[in-house]
Amino acid sequence: MSSTVSSRRSFLQLAGTGLALSGIGLGPATAAPTARAATAAAGPVLLNFNESPYGPAPAAQAAARGIVAESGRYLFALAGELRDVFAGQEGIGADRVRLYPGSSEPLNRAAVVWTSATAGLVVADPTFESLGELAAARGATVVKVPLRADGAHDVRAMVEAAKRINAGLLYLCNPNNPTGSITPADDIAWLLANKPAQTRLLVDEAYLQFSAQRSVIAQVMQRDDLIVLRTFSKLYGMAGLRLGVAAAHPDRLRELASLGDNPLPVTALAAGLASLREPGLVAQRREQNARVRQATVEWLGKRGFRCVPSEANCFMVDVQRDGAAFTAAMAERGVVIGRSWPIWPQVVRVTVGTEAEMAAFRTAFAAITGVPA
């Protein structure tokens, strides 16, 4: 099966690395321009970058608009308020939380801080790629461990690989991107108990709010080798506003911050704080996403197309033909979906859109494959 990378935009440039990363993680340019030309009036249906089709919650939009007049100041107190509210909701100390413009920045900082020519990286295959790409560019050995048949990370094989290459970092995305599949909490607990002592574990929970799975974030209060990332780009619909969180022991947060720091956009801070304070928002969007996703997955299954079990706002479907050609054909019909990965060349990732957008997906899919619409 082949994967399609999610579109959390990569870190622009890390001090001292000399590497411009703005393109990492986006994958090759797809046929979006063709799709736009084909649907010039309405524009294409965009199901390729795991963005939320609903955007920020109304309260978040109002908060962002309302603070624009004050954006001539950095408003550090607002960042502190957001940090404290997030920490309180997660039951962790505020000293374990640091805010970033999205979660791609701390992800890529982790590659600089904890991987090198003598400290390798272990990742799943397929998974979000930018961390591995940056680590490899810096001379680190990167081992890709295939996912299990159920889509979970093969934690035992990952631990063996970490021992073999003297890994400085082990990356686990849960739910995984691009598959949306879950690695059970018991497997993560086993990994933490059995990984090499010098290996940091970075758990990327960008999609966790779409799932009923437990977070591991509370463990940053007891461990100094665990880093947990969250983002407001997915369920909260703030991909373009750029806001994320790294949670870890203060020593690990200081290591991430050693590469420099900048104030965050006050519009993002205001929208993020309003999102956290919006009662019922997570549950409502989780249910909405699951309902639309499952309806599409069931439609595909009834027509003989297998999907990897997903608990995120994306899924992967085996299209039973070359994934790149299929993606291009969908774009020609005005529906832009994700790509495939080398390990799964016939499997493509699809972002979950609105009911209307998924109806357009089904229409285009049926036209290409010849199955009943």
Side-chain angles (χ1 to χ4, degrees):
M1 296 178 132
S2 130
S3 42
T4 58
V5 85
S6 112
S7 78
R8 285 181 296 158
R9 298 340 189 238
S10 290
F11 194 27
L12 295 178
Q13 176 127 14
L14 287 175
T17 67
L19 295 173
L21 305 176
S22 59
I24 286 179
L26 296 180
T30 60
T34 304
R36 291 192 185 95
T39 57
V45 174
L46 299 178
L47 305 176
N48 54 335
F49 281 158
N50 287 0
E51 299 150 327
S52 168
Y54 309 109
Q61 295 181 37
R65 288 193 298 268
I67 206 164
V68 168
E70 300 178 60
S71 61
R73 304 289 182 183
Y74 292 121
L75 303 185
F76 296 111
L78 182 62
E81 186 179 3
L82 174 61
R83 177 203 61 210
D84 293 348
V85 170
F86 178 88
Q89 290 184 356
E90 298 297 332
I92 60 177
D95 64 337
R96 259 68 172 178
V97 175
R98 193 171 187 90
L99 304 176
Y100 284 97
S103 58
S104 288
E105 180 171 339
L107 186 73
N108 287 298
R109 285 174 180 245
V112 174
V113 171
W114 296 309
T115 76
S116 67
T118 58
L121 170 69
V122 179
V123 300
D125 193 12
T127 196
F128 186 60
E129 292 176 321
S130 72
L131 180 66
E133 290 172 344
L134 177 53
R138 301 186 67 253
T141 298
V142 179
V143 175
K144 298 180 179 181
V145 176
L147 295 171
R148 296 187 331 212
D150 62 358
H153 287 65
D154 189 340
V155 295
R156 284 163 175 78
M158 295 179 85
V159 165
E160 289 305 311
K163 293 176 180 176
R164 189 168 66 250
I165 67 167
N166 185 41
L169 189 63
L170 197 157
Y171 175 63
L172 191 152
C173 187
N174 199 38
N176 187 42
N177 177 20
T179 58
S181 51
I182 285 294
T183 299
D186 288 347
D187 285 0
I188 301 176
W190 184 92
L191 189 157
L192 283 166
N194 290 275
K195 69 173 184 61
Q198 81 280 1
T199 304
R200 315 291 189 202
L201 173 62
L202 192 158
V203 179
D204 186 345
E205 294 185 342
Y207 301 89
L208 187 79
Q209 291 157 314
F210 291 110
S211 166
Q213 297 296 314
R214 299 196 312 270
S215 172
V216 299
I217 198 168
Q219 296 188 54
V220 303
M221 295 300 294
Q222 290 81 42
R223 305 189 66 106
D224 65 0
D225 56 355
L226 173 66
I227 304 95
V228 178
L229 302 184
R230 295 278 185 85
T231 186
F232 287 76
S233 295
K234 306 306 176 184
L235 183 138
Y236 288 126
M238 291 173 49
L241 278 170
R242 310 310 301 142
L243 182 64
V245 175
H249 187 279
D251 289 346
R252 303 292 79 77
L253 294 180
R254 278 190 287 271
E255 289 169 353
L256 291 176
S258 68
L259 296 171
D261 199 10
N262 280 299
L264 291 165
V266 298
T267 48
L269 295 172
L273 190 58
S275 296
L276 291 179
R277 288 173 166 163
E278 185 72 7
L281 177 61
V282 172
Q284 182 265 325
R285 289 198 168 183
R286 178 188 297 158
E287 184 279 330
Q288 184 177 39
N289 174 77
R291 174 169 38 82
V292 176
R293 182 191 66 229
Q294 287 309 113
T296 305
V297 168
E298 289 172 8
W299 182 91
L300 290 164
K302 289 176 180 177
R303 287 154 180 79
F305 294 91
R306 188 180 75 85
C307 298
V308 179
S310 171
E311 295 189 23
N313 67 331
C314 63
F315 60 88
M316 295 196 75
V317 55
D318 186 344
V319 296
Q320 304 170 15
R321 64 201 70 196
D322 179 72
F326 185 86
T327 296
M330 290 288 286
E332 290 292 340
R333 287 161 177 79
V335 179
V336 184
I337 61 173
R339 63 174 176 86
S340 57
W341 256 284
I343 192 173
W344 291 350
Q346 294 189 334
V347 182
V348 297
R349 191 191 68 186
V350 181
T351 299
V352 178
T354 64
E355 291 184 356
E357 288 171 338
M358 300 318 290
F361 166 82
R362 293 192 293 270
T363 298
F365 192 99
I368 294 169
T369 60
V371 301

